[in-house]
Amino acid sequence: MTDKSTDGTANAANWRPATQMVHGGTSRSQFGETSEAMFLTQGFVYDSAEAAEARFKGEDEGFIYSRYANPTVDMFEKRMCALEGAEDARATASGMAAVSASLLCQLKAGDHVVSARALFGSCRWVVETLMPQYGIETTLIDGTDLENWQRAVRPNTKVFFLESPTNPTLEVIDIAGVAKIADAIGAKVVVDNVFATPLYQKPLELGAHIVVYSATKHIDGQGRCLGGIVLSSKDWIDGNLHDYFRHTGPSLSPFNAWTLLKGLETLPLRVRQQTESARKIADHLASLNSIKRVIYPGRPDHPQADLVQKQMSGGSTLVAFEIEGGKAAAFAFENALQIIRISNNLGDAKSLITHPATTTHKNLAEEARAELGITDATVRLSIGLEDADDLIADIDRALAAT
Ligand SMILES: Cc1ncc(COP(=O)(O)O)c(C=O)c1O
């Protein structure tokens, strides 16, 4: 009889994404459960002192301690590896734990990092404030112009860091172009792929070396738990992240890993539906006089429309736009919405609206916000799973009241 207990690991590389998201990484216990088992355990017991010694020596592959690895977390890591085309991964307690681990584990004092300046607020703090405290030099650039990456290179440049599409103004950066420049100098490219989701963009295929996610967003997709993941080659994980991860402990809880496994099962259905609605809402907003500017990857008026076509296999579940009338109008609009709720989160089943200048990007100086195209009138809309026509009616009602 064939052993089907780990069928989700053995065959996943050959499956299409929707199948990988349901079965990838599945490892069944002796009970043959249908749904993934939740192993809420801190540690593991050994049959003998010799067995414990063998496991610590690495002669036996079993689990040691859930800070290092856990069977439920392992299933989540393997499912994400299959989906991403990565050889190995470490799941983390949040997206920020993934971002900071992916950078700090491979950098030391005296190294130099080039980063796109359009980053989620906390990512920018890690690059701009935290890393220089440890002697790591950083240069922030407009990442949409490939020449800026080349110009920023120094003899000690070790890492290029970017997110694409960016939070919140949905700029798209040429990952393959950046990877080519990095490869020429032996630097590593780390891509925060949160906004694209694992469905629409494959950074490793485009030449990036490390991919990070906040699994808190579309991977959970129902606003329940925090999580993150770093994916790369086995060599890079073994040589950089393995020890950092074990000894600093940003580990994901097995309960959250289980929730994220369940989230992945429905990700393609949710994200495609949310994208379809987002596209409809973006087109509607673009037709209104009260809206100054709409940014939506997938619309022909997106600043990098050609690159979106080349690099991404889908649009976005997010729309950014500017309302005529500045901050007062943006606040009045948000306050008048009834279905869409005000929140800094995204990728949820519930539609959420954010005013980045006063929330997620409030710590940036006004000039830095202006460089990123974040004005007092900019709002970011994360489209949920409600009926798109109800959301359009909510937007129209709120605009009329503004
Ligand atoms: C692009 C991006 N990266 C990283 C994060 C951080 O994720 P988490 O909140 O799970 O730590 C976020 C959160 O909003 C984000 O938007």
Side-chain angles (χ1 to χ4, degrees):
M1 211 171 87
T2 341
D3 175 14
K4 293 191 176 170
S5 62
T6 56
D7 55 358
T9 308
N11 303 320
N14 304 322
W15 294 332
R16 289 171 183 80
T19 314
Q20 287 168 333
M21 287 193 231
V22 176
H23 293 288
T26 302
S27 172
R28 296 197 164 83
S29 76
Q30 72 272 33
F31 301 114
E33 62 281 349
T34 314
S35 178
E36 297 75 3
M38 197 195 300
F39 289 92
L40 279 180
T41 181
Q42 297 167 342
F44 303 85
V45 295
Y46 313 99
D47 288 339
S48 64
E50 289 77 10
E53 184 185 35
R55 203 158 293 175
F56 270 77
K57 274 187 176 166
E59 292 167 0
D60 162 16
E61 284 222 321
F63 293 92
I64 293 177
Y65 189 52
S66 285
R67 169 152 46 79
Y68 302 174
N70 167 281
T72 312
V73 178
D74 191 58
M75 282 192 265
F76 173 62
E77 291 171 346
K78 291 207 165 82
R79 187 165 295 179
M80 286 296 299
C81 279
L83 196 53
E84 209 60 46
E87 290 172 358
D88 206 355
R90 292 291 182 276
T92 56
S94 69
M96 285 320 303
V99 169
S100 52
S102 72
L103 296 170
L104 294 173
C105 77
Q106 61 175 323
L107 289 162
K108 59 179 186 327
D111 287 345
H112 175 239
V113 176
V114 183
S115 172
R117 65 189 181 192
L119 296 177
F120 168 59
S122 297
C123 297
R124 185 144 167 174
W125 182 85
V126 168
V127 172
E128 212 174 15
T129 307
L130 181 71
M131 296 204 298
Q133 283 175 19
Y134 294 94
I136 301 162
E137 298 164 20
T138 60
T139 305
L140 289 166
I141 56 162
D142 171 1
T144 58
D145 183 348
L146 277 182
E147 283 183 14
N148 291 337
W149 294 92
Q150 186 66 61
R151 263 197 293 269
V153 166
R154 298 183 192 163
N156 54 342
T157 303
K158 293 285 159 41
V159 169
F160 286 179
F161 178 55
L162 63 100
E163 66 187 48
S164 181
T166 60
N167 182 358
T169 45
L170 307 172
E171 282 179 358
V172 177
I173 295 178
D174 184 345
I175 297 173
V178 174
K180 211 167 147 197
I181 298 168
D183 282 341
I185 56 156
K188 299 291 180 200
V189 178
V190 180
V191 175
D192 180 338
N193 208 38
V194 168
F195 271 49
T197 83
L199 199 61
Y200 290 155
Q201 185 168 272
K202 303 278 184 208
L204 297 180
E205 283 175 15
L206 292 165
H209 308 95
I210 298 123
V211 187
V212 294
Y213 284 98
S214 163
T216 314
K217 315 299 175 196
H218 304 86
I219 293 175
D220 174 7
Q222 291 167 74
R224 297 164 295 192
C225 64
L226 299 175
I229 191 160
V230 184
L231 303 112
S232 186
S233 65
K234 189 164 176 351
D235 274 357
W236 184 84
I237 299 260
D238 285 350
N240 296 276
L241 189 58
H242 181 79
D243 285 347
Y244 176 97
F245 186 85
R246 279 186 167 217
H247 303 305
T248 64
S251 332
L252 179 66
S253 112
F255 181 86
N256 287 1
W258 181 85
T259 312
L260 299 172
L261 279 162
K262 296 287 109 187
L264 280 174
E265 289 184 343
T266 57
L267 185 138
L269 295 172
R270 287 185 283 103
V271 167
R272 284 202 191 100
Q273 181 59 51
Q274 287 166 310
T275 306
E276 199 182 300
S277 299
R279 168 75 200 221
K280 195 169 173 183
I281 289 163
D283 289 345
H284 178 71
L285 287 165
S287 73
L288 303 177
N289 289 335
S290 49
I291 303 300
K292 236 160 90 181
R293 180 174 176 228
V294 177
I295 313 168
Y296 183 73
R299 271 181 61 82
D301 56 3
H302 184 277
Q304 292 94 31
D306 291 345
L307 185 56
V308 173
Q309 289 295 326
K310 196 173 104 189
Q311 177 165 295
M312 298 180 67
S313 59
S316 178
T317 67
L318 292 116
V319 186
F321 57 100
E322 274 180 51
I323 300 178
E324 290 287 358
K327 179 179 169 186
F331 271 32
F333 171 67
E334 286 194 341
N335 292 338
L337 289 164
Q338 290 174 3
I339 299 172
I340 301 166
R341 302 304 305 266
I342 303 168
S343 170
N344 45 290
N345 205 8
L346 62 100
D348 198 314
K350 296 178 172 60
S351 291
L352 303 172
I353 193 154
T354 309
H355 185 253
T358 52
T359 60
T360 51
H361 290 70
K362 79 165 182 21
N363 289 336
L364 291 185
E366 206 170 327
E367 312 86 75
R369 278 202 297 273
E371 277 173 2
L372 303 181
I374 304 171
T375 70
D376 281 350
T378 306
V379 290
R380 184 196 75 193
L381 190 50
S382 169
I383 302 302
L385 288 169
E386 305 91 340
D387 190 304
D389 290 334
D390 283 337
L391 296 176
I392 288 175
D394 198 28
I395 290 168
D396 286 350
R397 193 172 43 232
L399 285 172
T402 300

